[in-house]
Amino acid sequence: MKNRRIQRPHPTNYEVGRDRRARRTRSDSMKSPSEIRFLITAGPTREFIDPIRFISNRSSGKMGYALAEAARALSPHVVLVSGPTELARPKDVEFVPVTTTQEMADAVLARYDHCDVSIMAAAVCDFRPKTAATQKIKKTKFGGTLELEPTIDILAELGERKKSQTLVGFAAETEDIEANALDKLQRKHLDLIVVNDTRAFESDTNAVTLIGRKGKPERLPEMSKAAVAAAIIQRVLELQL
């Protein structure tokens, strides 16, 4: 049997034109770093039990603030939505202070359509008291049970609403770390997930793993949160290409 040479058909004028238009559209839609609009969250949220007590977590906000500063080094268009922290506000960014998870959700969702990159570094509370007391709960009157309900899942909501934005999430895991992070990335339609070392909450350093849509982990050594932020922003820029 003779070897038969398979000839590929020549593209038609229509196909060539369509290809050129597609390349031109992608090129036209690409922005320079100074034009990218960043929306970043940071810090913890608080869910009140009564006017004095609340549920929260160990987040210091340092990672999110470092990300805002790294983004600001590239672009003047940076919004930082922050829960309560002891940190100084980053200079030359739009700063939006919030307290509860719902307040953070409202602030983020109101700005999401106008951003190109959304980096959700805040450690929001996953649960809140079903009913918050209007007065301090006396120890003698507490029944011993605090009923909780889920808060809004901001990251999942952004994933559902995503159009052309690049969406980056964080994961603080204590077991099956990379498997759980990859599951979160896929379920919430993320472009990149940053897996945190839970020991780094109050620290000035962090050791993270970056996982993109292809699922291949990129493990970064422990370094300052400023350096980690710069690496994340660089990875985001690569996703813009």
Side-chain angles (χ1 to χ4, degrees):
M1 184 176 178
K2 294 182 179 180
N3 292 331
R4 298 181 61 187
R5 185 176 181 182
I6 300 175
Q7 292 186 339
R8 298 184 181 275
H10 292 291
T12 64
N13 290 337
Y14 167 74
E15 289 170 328
V16 170
R18 181 179 61 183
D19 224 24
R20 286 173 178 165
R21 285 194 299 273
R23 288 196 299 270
R24 187 167 60 248
T25 300
R26 288 193 296 270
S27 176
D28 291 345
S29 65
M30 288 173 59
K31 294 184 175 183
S32 69
S34 64
E35 296 175 309
I36 296 174
R37 299 165 296 178
F38 290 90
L39 175 61
I40 299 170
T41 64
T45 58
R46 295 176 178 176
E47 303 300 333
F48 284 87
I49 299 169
D50 62 24
I52 297 174
R53 306 176 181 94
F54 55 80
I55 300 170
S56 191
N57 58 61
R58 293 166 45 209
S59 174
S60 65
K62 291 178 180 178
M63 192 70 253
Y65 278 53
L67 282 162
E69 291 174 347
R72 182 61 187 86
L74 294 175
S75 170
H77 312 293
V78 180
V79 178
L80 176 62
V81 180
S82 175
T85 77
E86 300 297 323
L87 303 175
R89 298 182 180 186
K91 294 180 180 179
D92 301 321
V93 306
E94 181 184 341
F95 185 81
V96 184
V98 298
T99 302
T100 67
T101 302
Q102 188 60 56
E103 289 172 355
M104 181 168 285
D106 292 342
V108 168
L109 293 174
R111 294 164 172 81
Y112 188 50
D113 286 343
H114 306 292
C115 79
D116 302 302
V117 175
S118 183
I119 306 177
M120 299 291 99
V124 300
C125 288
D126 294 324
F127 302 96
R128 66 183 180 189
K130 199 164 188 178
T131 303
T134 57
Q135 302 296 329
K136 178 184 175 182
I137 301 173
K138 299 294 185 181
K139 186 184 297 186
T140 55
K141 294 183 179 179
F142 180 56
T145 301
L146 183 63
E147 193 173 359
L148 303 176
E149 64 182 5
T151 57
I152 181 172
D153 190 329
I154 300 174
L155 198 55
E157 188 68 28
L158 296 182
E160 290 296 327
R161 298 188 184 198
K162 186 169 72 167
K163 297 174 184 175
S164 60
Q165 298 97 330
T166 296
L167 182 57
V168 181
F170 275 66
E173 302 289 347
T174 57
E175 59 181 353
D176 297 328
I177 294 173
E178 291 182 5
N180 285 332
L182 184 58
D183 175 67
K184 184 175 183 179
L185 177 140
Q186 294 169 342
R187 281 188 296 105
K188 300 188 179 184
H189 310 293
L190 309 182
D191 298 290
L192 180 68
I193 192 162
V194 182
V195 186
N196 259 325
D197 185 337
T198 56
R199 297 169 297 179
F201 271 121
E202 298 94 351
S203 174
D204 292 325
T205 62
N206 204 354
V208 304
T209 299
L210 308 180
I211 304 177
R213 297 293 298 174
K214 294 181 180 179
K216 184 179 180 181
E218 178 185 350
R219 299 175 184 87
L220 303 183
E222 182 174 350
M223 50 189 170
S224 71
K225 288 185 175 177
V228 173
I232 293 169
I233 294 297
Q234 179 58 42
R235 184 69 177 271
V236 166
L237 292 179
E238 292 169 4
L239 293 175
Q240 300 291 297
L241 299 178

